[in-house]
Amino acid sequence: MTVKEGVHHVHELSTEDEERFSDLFNKLDVNKDGRIDIEDLTKGLKKLGVHQMPGQAQSILKKGDKDKDGEMDFSEFAQYLMEHEKQLKLQFKHLDKNQDGHVETEEVLHALKTLGVNITAAQVDRIIKSMDRDGSLKVDWTEWREYLLLHPSSNLKDIYTYWRHATYLDIGEDVIVPDDFTEQEYTSGMWWRQLVAGAAAGAVSRTCTAPLDRLKVLLQVHASKKNNLGILTGFRHMLQEGGIKSLWRGNGINVVKIAPETAFKFMAYEQMKRIFHTPGTELKMHERFVSGSLAGAIAQTTIYPMEVLKTRLALRKTGQYKGIGDCARQILRTEGVLSFYRGYIPNILGILPYAGIDLAVYETLKMRWISDHPSQSDPGVLILLVCGTTSSTCGQIASYPLALVRTRLQAQRSNATMVGLFKTIVKEEGIQGLYRGIMPNFMKVAPAVSISYVVYEHVRRNLGVNWGTN
């Protein structure tokens, strides 16, 4: 990029600032045409490892594009950075109460609490550590500027929201432990928008991976050493028995149950936190685990009949049921109300190992990455996706035998017991019999996570959840 003639004079840039801005411009100008448009900015921020909130690139371009032509030349980019740095400098000086040239935990904590943000000293300490490059446990002007230069707001509340969502992303096949919402997110209504976005993402993700999910159920219930039923033969069986549409059997109820399950889990989680969390302190991992596991158990208890219906519908033969209502009526008439809770005990027992391992592995991998890369402000979406996928997979391996026994109990009309079924499977098929259908389960994790994330971001933007765009 060639710096335009007169830019140095127009923007009153020092030689050092001009070189710094020019270097940053070159990195963001992905297609090297001397101008930055929204595509350049989005890709450039990702390449630099900058965590992007929804609408972040658009907000930067809107503020910097003075002639409203949809892109920034170096002159506009430098003007934007100068103005933004001035606002960041004012915020920094406002926080630096003792005027020692550093911002410390106590100063940020006091400022946020003055603004009504419910936050603990431990949380603020993590904010400081994420900005602190030299290990001084304090943030000087340069560290403050470099961390926030490409965040379009200098408002302290926006900065806190940006940091909070840059250091946590909860993903997985079935999130047992819900996300936490700030007081501001409750007040603004952002919390329900995020829940709606999550539900939409789950619906699309489940629908896209439904054939693999139905194959998993088929293998869990019918696969054995005798019939040699596998992935290819399982798909062939489904197609021959009911055609392509049969691959999505059971998906309707699987999507329908998202809304009540999310609602019950969210409400129960908030109540459990009030019981197990010490007010005024940061929510610890074990408190989050206990609260989340109990919330998951309460939600599962409430919607469990829908889980039984999902299994029966996934395994049904062509013409066996007319729909969800007909399936429920037939089960109630021929087997009784208790049949809607077949497999309930292994289902509840499976929550603890899944949630515990998923959360522990996720936090361990994320914190290990942060400790190994102290110069980078946040892990970024790709790293968090890898952490989430890995932790979810580990959780599934630990809880899968219980999930398999649960599914078999849901499918049976007999009064078999959990322990009896475990013994029968191990005796006839060995330990590997407890892992029938796990390969389709693994196969759907990566696409499910990827689809969920993409849909979540799009829906969240459309609902107006664009942090940091003020």
Side-chain angles (χ1 to χ4, degrees), residues 218-248:
L218 188 71
L219 296 179
Q220 284 179 328
V221 175
H222 295 306
S224 67
K225 289 181 178 180
K226 297 177 182 178
N227 58 29
N228 199 31
L229 190 64
I231 293 175
L232 293 178
T233 52
F235 268 121
R236 192 179 301 122
H237 168 77
M238 290 189 292
L239 290 170
Q240 289 174 348
E241 196 278 328
I244 292 178
K245 285 180 64 177
S246 70
L247 298 179
W248 277 267

Side-chain angles (χ1 to χ4, degrees), residues 73 149 193 241 377 446:
D73 58 20
L149 188 60
R193 291 181 175 88
E241 196 278 328
S377 57

Side-chain angles (χ1 to χ4, degrees), residues 66-342:
K66 299 299 182 183
D67 59 8
K68 306 303 178 186
D69 63 350
E71 50 189 15
M72 291 184 288
D73 58 20
F74 180 73
S75 174
E76 292 171 314
F77 182 68
Q79 182 71 39
Y80 165 75
L81 290 183
M82 282 190 66
E83 293 172 358
H84 189 47
E85 282 195 6
K86 286 179 183 177
Q87 295 302 315
L88 290 175
K89 186 78 170 180
L90 289 173
Q91 185 65 262
F92 183 84
K93 287 183 176 180
H94 175 71
L95 289 173
D96 185 18
K97 297 297 184 183
N98 59 8
Q99 301 300 307
D100 66 348
H102 293 87
V103 170
E104 302 175 37
T105 298
E106 294 77 12
E107 293 170 328
V108 177
L109 180 64
H110 175 74
L112 285 171
K113 291 209 167 184
T114 300
L115 291 172
V117 176
N118 184 20
I119 190 171
T120 66
Q123 288 173 311
V124 175
D125 194 47
R126 287 169 60 192
I127 296 177
I128 295 297
K129 287 178 180 177
S130 68
M131 295 184 182
D132 178 25
R133 300 295 180 87
D134 59 11
S136 64
L137 301 182
K138 295 187 285 188
V139 176
D140 61 25
W141 159 241
T142 300
E143 291 169 329
W144 177 267
R145 179 191 67 196
E146 294 304 313
Y147 186 87
L148 297 168
L149 188 60
L150 294 173
H151 177 60
S153 177
S154 58
N155 179 280
L156 188 58
K157 279 189 177 181
D158 290 340
I159 290 170
Y160 166 64
T161 303
Y162 171 74
W163 168 83
R164 178 176 173 270
H165 287 274
T167 52
Y168 182 76
L169 176 65
D170 196 357
I171 60 175
E173 184 200 28
D174 184 17
V175 179
I176 296 294
V177 185
D179 197 359
D180 299 297
F181 296 106
T182 64
E183 188 176 329
Q184 286 69 40
E185 287 167 332
Y186 284 120
T187 305
S188 66
M190 188 184 291
W191 66 274
W192 70 260
R193 291 181 175 88
Q194 288 180 249
L195 289 178
V196 169
V204 175
S205 173
R206 291 182 187 195
T207 300
C208 290
T209 59
L212 285 170
D213 192 63
R214 189 185 175 218
L215 176 63
K216 176 196 73 176
V217 174
L218 188 71
L219 296 179
Q220 284 179 328
V221 175
H222 295 306
S224 67
K225 289 181 178 180
K226 297 177 182 178
N227 58 29
N228 199 31
L229 190 64
I231 293 175
L232 293 178
T233 52
F235 268 121
R236 192 179 301 122
H237 168 77
M238 290 189 292
L239 290 170
Q240 289 174 348
E241 196 278 328
I244 292 178
K245 285 180 64 177
S246 70
L247 298 179
W248 277 267
R249 284 179 184 170
N251 182 60
I253 189 72
N254 200 28
V255 171
V256 168
K257 73 184 180 73
I258 291 174
E261 184 176 14
T262 301
F264 283 120
K265 190 183 296 181
F266 174 70
M267 290 186 291
Y269 184 56
E270 292 303 307
Q271 294 301 316
M272 292 303 104
K273 281 198 300 182
R274 290 190 177 96
I275 296 173
F276 295 104
H277 177 220
T278 305
T281 63
E282 183 179 10
L283 190 67
K284 298 180 178 63
M285 187 190 293
H286 73 273
E287 293 173 336
R288 191 163 183 264
F289 165 64
V290 172
S291 300
S293 296
L294 289 174
I298 292 170
Q300 280 287 300
T301 300
T302 307
I303 60 96
Y304 192 77
M306 300 177 80
E307 294 282 359
V308 175
L309 287 172
K310 176 206 161 190
T311 299
R312 293 293 182 92
L313 289 167
L315 294 171
R316 78 183 188 272
K317 295 179 180 179
T318 301
Q320 185 176 356
Y321 303 121
K322 295 177 181 178
I324 297 173
D326 183 51
C327 178
R329 283 191 294 271
Q330 287 196 39
I331 293 174
L332 183 62
R333 185 176 66 251
T334 60
E335 301 174 50
V337 69
L338 291 180
S339 292
F340 288 107
Y341 280 87
R342 290 187 191 277

